[in-house]
DNA sequence: TGCTTTTTCTAACAACTGTTCGTAAGAGCT
DNA sequence: AGCTCTTACGAACAGTTGTTAGAAAAAGCA
């Protein structure tokens, strides 16, 4: 059995931690704060996690893994155009934001507090992800599907434009997740101007 | 004389603080860290600033003021089209990122650590700024200049897309500030696809 | 030069940090 | 029931936090 009672409880701690880290930052969240939200004393949590660092590490690792596997999936899916690939990747991104808001927020903002072996690993993983995404854009430009923008500019514009979703999206807002997705894709691929 | 020796030294402390806050976060930066970068003992800085909170407050206030005055300037400039207004505002944004990277970064990420009277004030200022910007977009949509996107989506896509500049731009990169500006504007207004 | 005011330092404070230890309470099993 | 193993807790640790008080040094000025 992989989902023992212990791993479930641990995941609960990680989820609560992600919410708090998002709200108050990694440094601004104390183990006693977290314990309060979890419903335990601070000391008791050490039955489930090794350290505060490890909490951050597990959250960042999980999200990085999802990002990378999503890119791999898109890369090896034979699709008509590069525009279709980029669009699909944008949509996966947005869905991840909606479904895993707090954890993604932590991976986006608090990764810099990772302790040293993991910090380098995370930065490297992110870099290789960005390079893979940039390659898709380059190929699209070379194929004449995209405007001749500098690939890095297009890449970071997309990545950043998608990031605010995690800050903004609340289930039950006037805008559905689907409409949101369509509008962002339209904006990024076709632009605001008519 | 407004720029006394004391205010110059204080501004230097604020600038160093912005760099450190950007790098390690507000909570991750201690007064002793800051003092080290400034070249003083921690206690000595209290001749120039009242508290660590005040440092954050002054940085955020200054940037918020710039944002608001930039919007006001664009709003009352009679310009041909809404597209031209939005483009001008985007360009001002990007220039601010390039010129005041660290301070803008702090105002974007660490504002949530502001103590309470200022926190509400900052949030309100930002909200009114966003509403002003959104109005420009709405009017552009109404005038038929823009695609019929939800104004909030267009707004936050623009604001976020512009934000990464502060994380990415280094003077002396292969891309000049001007090229950067043109590519981002092209991407946001015309889209990536051809 | 001496006097005053400003600037800087050292030392210390109380509060808080992540984490460990020993023990008590609980769960599961026979 | 008694025994074992896991989980939870209170207390305490060493270190760090922002900040203050008082003395020392520096600067400005007569």
């Amino acid at each position: 059995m992989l989902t023992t009672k212990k791993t479930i409880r641990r995941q609960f701690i990680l989820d609560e931690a992600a919410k708090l880290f998002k709200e108050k930052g990694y440094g601004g969240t104390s183990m006693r704060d977290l314990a309060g939200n979890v419903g335990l004393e601070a000391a008791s949590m050490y039955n489930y996690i090794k350290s505060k660092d490890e909490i951050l590490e597990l959250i960042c690792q999980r999200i990085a893994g999802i990002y990378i596997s999503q890119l791999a999936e898109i890369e090896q899916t034979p699709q008509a155009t590069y525009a279709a690939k980029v669009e699909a990747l944008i949509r996966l991104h947005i869905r991840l934001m909606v479904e895993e808001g707090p954890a993604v927020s932590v991976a986006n903002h608090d990764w810099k507090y990772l302790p040293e072996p993991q910090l380098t690993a995370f930065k490297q993983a992110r870099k290789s992800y960005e390079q893979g995404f940039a390659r898709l854009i380059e190929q699209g430009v070379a194929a004449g599907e995209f405007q001749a923008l500098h690939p890095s500019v297009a890449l970071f514009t997309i990545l950043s434009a998608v990031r605010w979703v995690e800050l903004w999206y609340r289930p039950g807002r006037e805008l559905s997740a689907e409409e949101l997705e369509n509008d962002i894709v339209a904006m990024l691929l076709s632009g605001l101007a008519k």
Side-chain angles (χ1 to χ4, degrees), chain A:
Chain A
M1 179 97 76
L2 222 141
T3 60
T4 71
K5 201 144 199 169
K6 195 155 187 173
T7 43
I8 290 178
R9 297 269 259 161
R10 164 153 60 205
Q11 191 54 51
F12 178 67
I13 292 178
L14 296 181
D15 289 344
E16 288 304 312
K19 287 188 212 163
L20 279 179
F21 292 171
K22 171 179 175 177
E23 201 179 321
K24 320 204 284 174
Y26 179 71
T29 304
S30 75
M31 292 300 277
R32 288 166 181 84
D33 285 343
L34 176 54
N37 273 47
V38 168
L40 285 178
E41 283 314 301
S44 309
M45 291 192 302
Y46 285 80
N47 276 317
Y48 300 98
I49 49 104
K50 275 201 271 292
S51 66
K52 193 189 180 190
D53 286 342
E54 196 205 37
I55 295 179
L56 182 60
E57 191 189 317
L58 291 172
I59 294 174
C60 290
Q61 270 177 12
R62 188 169 65 87
I63 298 302
I66 296 178
Y67 268 59
I68 285 170
S69 73
Q70 283 186 347
L71 173 64
E73 194 188 332
I74 294 293
E75 272 176 335
Q76 67 192 22
T77 297
Q79 226 148 356
T81 61
Y82 290 106
K85 289 198 182 200
V86 168
E87 175 174 339
L89 202 46
I90 293 175
R91 288 186 187 274
L92 284 179
H93 254 94
I94 296 174
R95 271 168 226 167
L96 187 60
M97 300 278 165
V98 167
E99 286 159 18
E100 299 268 12
V104 173
S105 175
V106 171
N108 279 343
H109 295 115
D110 295 324
W111 57 267
K112 54 182 152 183
Y113 304 113
L114 283 168
E116 210 7 284
Q118 287 84 9
L119 178 60
T120 320
F122 182 86
K123 280 156 86 169
Q124 203 168 346
R126 198 185 44 173
K127 188 167 204 169
S128 94
Y129 173 81
E130 289 171 355
Q131 285 176 342
F133 202 149
R135 212 175 306 124
L136 245 52
I137 295 174
E138 278 172 47
Q139 293 170 326
V141 172
E145 292 182 29
F146 296 152
Q147 283 199 70
L149 301 175
H150 199 291
S152 294
V153 176
L155 169 66
F156 287 110
T157 302
I158 291 172
L159 290 181
S160 306
V162 151
R163 252 185 211 198
W164 64 269
V165 171
E166 151 252 312
L167 297 170
W168 187 79
Y169 181 79
R170 305 261 185 297
R173 209 150 178 150
E174 81 261 35
L175 209 61
S176 78
E178 207 181 337
E179 288 177 294
L180 184 68
E181 213 180 291
N182 290 334
D183 271 21
I184 295 178
V185 167
M187 172 102 186
L188 289 174
L189 292 181
S190 310
L192 175 60
K194 217 175 210 170

